[in-house]
Amino acid sequence: LKNRVTGAKNWRADGEAKQKAGKIPEAVASYRQSLKLLPDAALEEHVRILEGKQAEAGEKKASADKLWQEGTALLNQGRPSDALTKFKESQGYWSDATRTQYVADLESRRSRAVSLRERGAELQGQNRIQEAIIKYRESLSQWPDPALTAHIATLEGKLKQDADTAARKARAKQL
């Protein structure tokens, strides 16, 4: 009996050390070994609670992974804003340093794109259309936006039309 009690205490101490280290599955295994040697209702309840939390954490990670995959699909479809929303929602369930950094990088790209777009609008307001187009394109390199792409096409069409009109006037003047 003395050996069983000593063994149970050792397994329990091992489980406590592993739990403190965040190694919950290993801690549960050690606690279970302790319980085989010496039944303990309080320890059994503690193990049930740990297993419940572990199962809950697994479900949260699965939900987070599903949302992350949906975000990745949206990003691949050229819908970065929708993707970012999914990525952030995913982080509400579970996150790690890599995912957190990825979201921060996307937010930074979006912020740079907004700044470039605003600078492009300022240039356009000053009728510096070529320079505006350059800023708009830089913005698109950071964050896709079909509306901005269409706006650039409109501006380029207007520039071409203005150049054609100017060329006709210059020829007419020469005649």
Side-chain angles (χ1 to χ4, degrees):
L1 180 64
K2 185 178 176 184
N3 286 341
R4 288 178 65 175
V5 169
T6 301
K9 285 182 180 180
N10 288 339
W11 279 112
R12 187 176 187 145
D14 183 62
E16 290 168 353
K18 288 177 178 172
Q19 185 177 343
K20 284 181 184 175
K23 299 177 179 178
I24 304 304
E26 292 93 339
V28 167
S30 292
Y31 290 145
R32 289 260 177 238
Q33 288 296 327
S34 174
L35 289 167
K36 283 181 185 177
L37 295 172
L38 187 66
D40 179 339
L43 182 57
E44 186 68 46
E45 178 61 21
H46 182 69
V47 168
R48 273 196 294 278
I49 290 169
L50 285 178
E51 289 174 333
K53 287 181 180 178
Q54 194 176 359
E56 183 180 319
E59 290 170 9
K60 285 184 177 183
K61 184 170 184 326
S63 294
D65 288 347
K66 183 177 184 281
L67 288 165
W68 195 267
Q69 289 170 354
E70 290 172 10
T72 300
L74 290 166
L75 193 62
N76 291 337
Q77 294 169 14
R79 297 171 52 194
S81 293
D82 295 334
L84 186 57
T85 299
K86 287 290 183 183
F87 292 149
K88 286 181 173 183
E89 186 179 350
S90 167
Q91 288 187 305
Y93 290 95
W94 179 87
S95 190
D96 64 12
T98 303
R99 289 183 178 188
T100 299
Q101 184 60 51
Y102 188 78
V103 168
D105 290 346
L106 275 180
E107 288 177 325
S108 177
R109 286 179 53 200
R110 180 176 62 182
S111 178
R112 284 192 305 270
V114 167
S115 294
L116 289 164
R117 193 168 299 144
E118 288 171 354
R119 181 64 184 134
E122 289 172 17
L123 291 166
Q124 184 180 342
Q126 297 166 5
N127 204 29
R128 296 164 58 188
I129 305 301
Q130 286 289 6
E131 293 170 79
I133 290 171
I134 290 168
K135 289 298 173 193
Y136 289 148
R137 288 197 184 285
E138 286 179 43
S139 174
L140 289 174
S141 74
Q142 295 296 313
W143 199 260
D145 180 350
L148 184 58
T149 301
H151 182 67
I152 291 169
T154 300
L155 289 176
E156 289 174 334
K158 186 177 180 329
L159 281 177
K160 184 175 179 348
Q161 184 180 13
D162 290 349
D164 290 347
T165 300
R168 276 195 304 269
K169 285 182 181 179
R171 278 190 300 255
K173 200 175 196 182
Q174 289 174 349
L175 296 177

